[in-house]
Amino acid sequence: MHHGNPICLTIHEILSGDYGLILNKVDENKLITQREYNNLKSINNANAETHVIELVDKIMNKGEKTCKDFLNLLQTDGAIKETFPLLAMSSCQHGNTHVTQYRNTVRPVGLCVIINNKNFKDGSQRRGTDKDARNLAEVFKCLGFRVLMCEDLNKDQMDQALTFVASLADMSHFVDPQQVLEHGDAFICSILSHGKKGVVLGTDRNPLPIKEITRKFRGCDQSVLTGKPKVFLIQACQGSNIQHGVQLMETDDDTSPLTIPEEADVLVAMATVEDHAALRHIVDGSWFVQSLCEQLKERCPRGEDIVSILHYVNDDVAHRETSSLAKQMPEVRFTLRKKLVLPPQRT
């Protein structure tokens, strides 16, 4: 690969899916000569990505106008947009690379840690949570993550496991010592447990503040996760209040370097808002996790980013209600600086 060329590696990876379509479209729009088209088409013994690199290099060497025409073609042609939805998430400029999404090139993509607390020391069980854990593991494996499942951890064990994962220190208590663990381009942590306001509970019913969990992964000069997205998916009550439905009213809503804040690049998705319960079916699992898995399966292949997908989860869960008219409203907060896109990995 010609690393010196001003091209988006993301676009190389995306376009490799159907190189023939791109080459034909470039030819139709007269961005290359007939001779160049024939030469590119006749390259033998090369994989799709090599073909793409040759084509993009040739276009980049033709000057700024041809480069802009090529980028415009990628963003406006109907067939290309339909075939490569991920292109909507990326953009390149001649002489400079500007990517609006987080890098996602390492395989595996990163670690996904699932803490599934089902059996509590007082004898109680969170029935249905195993289905949530299985579905999450299945989805994130398909998205290219290495999944680590931790079951029935008390507060101190949760704290210890997450501390180890953050630094990738001694994880022999939780995984096979022979396994080598490495952080990739993203980190996912899902905690399925009981909870109270601002905390999740260990199996001993002792609380671990969610703020302390995310703080373990805070950016610093030594952390390989600095500048990379860290997503926390929390299925736990945040109180005992039950939410009720209200008449829908129209509302308006507005939200608004060289170094980045240490709290950057984090997303926390809570099953419910503060002070309220999170609902879980004893067979089908929780509303939040089941909706999350369904939306990830449906929308990740389309190239939609995680925040957009969580909007659909919020809306889906908000429309559900129990026979007693109980409602639930998930809550998402984030300091992500870019879009996080997680395309399924080919097996």
Side-chain angles (χ1 to χ4, degrees), residues 242-244 279 281 287 319-328:
I242 299 297
Q243 297 181 59
H244 301 286
L279 302 169
H281 191 277
W287 286 4
H319 277 85
R320 303 187 187 200
E321 64 183 21
T322 65
S323 56
S324 60
L325 304 184
K327 305 286 285 185
Q328 180 177 324

Side-chain angles (χ1 to χ4, degrees), residues 128-142:
T129 190
D130 285 343
K131 181 164 185 181
D132 284 350
R134 283 195 306 271
N135 284 4
L136 285 166
E138 175 193 332
V139 168
F140 283 106
K141 278 178 185 171
C142 288

Side-chain angles (χ1 to χ4, degrees), residues 150 153 157 160-161 164 169-177:
C150 302
L153 302 186
Q157 289 170 331
Q160 186 182 41
F164 287 161
D170 179 18
M171 285 290 292
S172 57
H173 293 294
F174 303 99
V175 297
D176 186 331

Side-chain angles (χ1 to χ4, degrees), residues 120 153-156 158 199-208:
F120 285 72
L153 302 186
N154 62 35
K155 182 256 186 181
D156 288 341
M158 284 199 299
V199 304
V200 288
L201 302 185
T203 53
D204 53 1
R205 295 272 176 179
N206 287 330
L208 180 62

Side-chain angles (χ1 to χ4, degrees), residues 207-227:
L208 180 62
I210 295 167
K211 203 179 289 184
E212 278 187 27
I213 294 172
T214 58
R215 203 170 280 157
K216 293 178 190 296
F217 298 85
R218 191 164 53 184
C220 65
D221 292 341
Q222 292 78 35
S223 174
V224 295
L225 285 174
T226 297

Side-chain angles (χ1 to χ4, degrees), residues 13 86 104 107 109 142-144 300-301 303 341-345:
E13 190 177 53
L86 282 176
N104 180 3
R107 298 295 175 264
V109 175
C142 288
L143 296 177
C300 283
V341 179
L342 299 171
Q345 301 304 306

